[in-house]
Amino acid sequence: MQQDERGTGSSQGEFILLGLSDNQYLQILFFMVFLISYVLTLLWSLAVTVVSELDPSLQTPMYFFLINRSFLDLCSTTATVPQMLVNLQRSQKTISWTGCMAQLFISLGLGSTECVLLAAMAYDCYAAVCHPLRYTAIMSRSLCWLMATASWFSGMTASFVQTCLTLRLPLCGHNRINDFSCEVPALLSLACADTSINEAGLLVGSAVILPVPLGLNLVSYGYIGAAVLRIRSAEGRHKAFNTCTSHLAVVSIFFGTAIYTYLQPPSQHPQDQGKIVSLFYAFITPMVNPLIYTLRNKDVHRAPRRALGKQCWMQQS
């Protein structure tokens, strides 16, 4: 098998994604589960975005960042799920070289963006709980846009650097990826050259894009916890605690899976366990994120009723 001219693709310019199982019945089951998961993710993310945009009472910094999160979930699932659903329906589970590199860049960029965006959302929680009287002045519209833009820019820049490092590796015709999508650790395992620079770059990049935002989250919640303990009334503590519990749950799930995936050398990365963690991150997390944020949120529950009531009143008048 000859090396591709690009040095990083297979001889046919495509990769074979080994996926999760070769069992036909399991593949049918996976297809149904992942299709339902994908549709629910799209519907719930779109619903959160539409409700937040239509209801004036929800046009706050919290929901501004929540719309960004919903858009991230939509993009991240769309970057991987459709290709996987197609591959589950055919015997040759392939993806083109260009498609694989695009999937790698988009998935890594969106994941990195989410790291920084979660830190911005933690600061929003900190401002809401610790400085409620100055919250509007602190979380100005310009600051929200600046934080969101910085999240997207830093995430995509980190992804661009890591993708370029991956592209420089010769794969010497190896094209069987032991995963269901194009991830950096899986691609590094195909290289027929020394990957120490790539592994070091991945660890350094992950050490910046993961622990730093995680540290900012922990600091914010340290201040939030201290502020909640100073509240005398049980009702006040409960209200302040509910303000940020949803975000704290998402932070725990996201950083737990991301740290397991990227903060260890790819050569020591257990493939089967890595696929399970990647599967959880790619399918389960985007699906449950909208539910976590809205399930106990009374403002979101009341928004559709207010919209319907307003529509009925306009028709009667």
Side-chain angles (χ1 to χ4, degrees):
M1 188 177 290
Q2 294 178 342
Q3 183 178 344
D4 186 84
E5 291 179 359
R6 286 169 290 231
T8 54
S10 69
S11 60
Q12 291 84 23
E14 63 183 18
F15 293 95
I16 298 175
L17 299 171
L18 299 183
L20 299 171
S21 173
D22 293 329
N23 186 287
Q24 182 179 359
Y25 298 103
L26 282 179
Q27 290 188 27
I28 295 174
L29 176 62
F30 286 144
F31 179 85
M32 297 303 300
V33 171
F34 297 154
L35 178 61
I36 294 172
S37 172
Y38 182 51
V39 171
L40 290 177
T41 300
L42 294 181
L43 291 177
W44 288 337
S45 298
L46 287 173
V48 169
T49 302
V50 171
V51 169
S52 300
E53 284 291 331
L54 293 181
D55 195 314
S57 66
L58 298 183
Q59 294 178 9
T60 62
M62 172 185 172
Y63 293 100
F64 170 79
F65 290 119
L66 187 54
I67 290 174
N68 275 270
R69 282 297 318 279
S70 298
F71 183 66
L72 275 172
D73 289 336
L74 282 173
C75 293
S76 62
T77 53
T78 303
T80 57
V81 177
Q83 178 68 49
M84 185 174 182
L85 292 176
V86 170
N87 283 345
L88 285 171
Q89 291 297 297
R90 62 187 187 184
S91 57
Q92 291 296 323
K93 298 172 175 52
T94 60
I95 182 173
S96 67
W97 183 90
T98 303
C100 186
M101 294 303 108
Q103 189 179 84
L104 173 68
F105 172 74
I106 294 172
S107 299
L108 192 58
L110 293 175
S112 302
T113 299
E114 190 168 3
C115 289
V116 185
L117 191 64
L118 286 172
M121 296 177 73
Y123 181 77
D124 176 59
C125 289
Y126 158 78
V129 174
C130 299
H131 303 284
L133 300 179
R134 297 194 298 120
Y135 174 71
T136 304
I138 294 174
M139 297 302 298
S140 63
R141 187 173 182 83
S142 59
L143 179 61
C144 290
W145 275 102
L146 178 63
M147 294 170 76
T149 303
S151 300
W152 283 92
F153 177 78
S154 59
M156 291 303 172
T157 300
S159 177
F160 178 77
V161 172
Q162 188 57 52
T163 302
C164 288
L165 287 175
T166 305
L167 286 173
R168 61 179 287 274
L169 283 176
L171 303 185
C172 304
H174 303 307
N175 67 341
R176 299 173 66 85
I177 299 177
N178 188 19
D179 211 330
F180 59 85
S181 64
C182 294
E183 293 278 353
V184 175
L187 285 171
L188 292 187
S189 66
L190 302 182
C192 57
D194 182 19
T195 62
S196 57
I197 295 178
N198 294 76
E199 294 189 11
L202 181 62
L203 289 175
V204 170
S206 300
V208 173
I209 209 70
L210 285 173
V212 172
L214 178 59
L216 293 175
N217 275 277
L218 294 177
V219 170
S220 297
Y221 278 102
Y223 281 106
I224 290 170
V228 170
L229 292 176
R230 289 197 297 267
I231 299 175
R232 295 184 178 181
S233 67
E235 182 181 354
R237 286 196 300 269
H238 181 72
K239 183 178 180 180
F241 184 73
N242 280 343
T243 301
C244 302
T245 50
S246 298
H247 179 67
L248 185 59
V250 171
V251 167
S252 302
I253 295 172
F254 175 82
F255 281 101
T257 55
I259 287 174
Y260 177 87
T261 302
Y262 290 102
L263 281 186
Q264 59 178 314
S267 57
Q268 301 176 13
H269 198 274
Q271 288 294 324
D272 292 334
Q273 294 181 22
K275 284 195 284 187
I276 294 174
V277 174
S278 297
L279 188 69
F280 184 86
Y281 173 77
F283 291 93
I284 306 302
T285 303
M287 183 179 67
V288 301
N289 277 345
L291 288 178
I292 292 176
Y293 279 112
T294 61
L295 197 59
R296 299 175 59 190
N297 194 311
K298 296 180 180 179
D299 291 333
V300 175
H301 295 169
R302 288 192 291 262
R305 293 196 292 269
R306 286 195 295 265
L308 290 174
K310 183 179 180 181
Q311 185 68 25
C312 293
W313 179 83
M314 292 178 64
Q315 290 178 352
Q316 292 176 0
S317 60

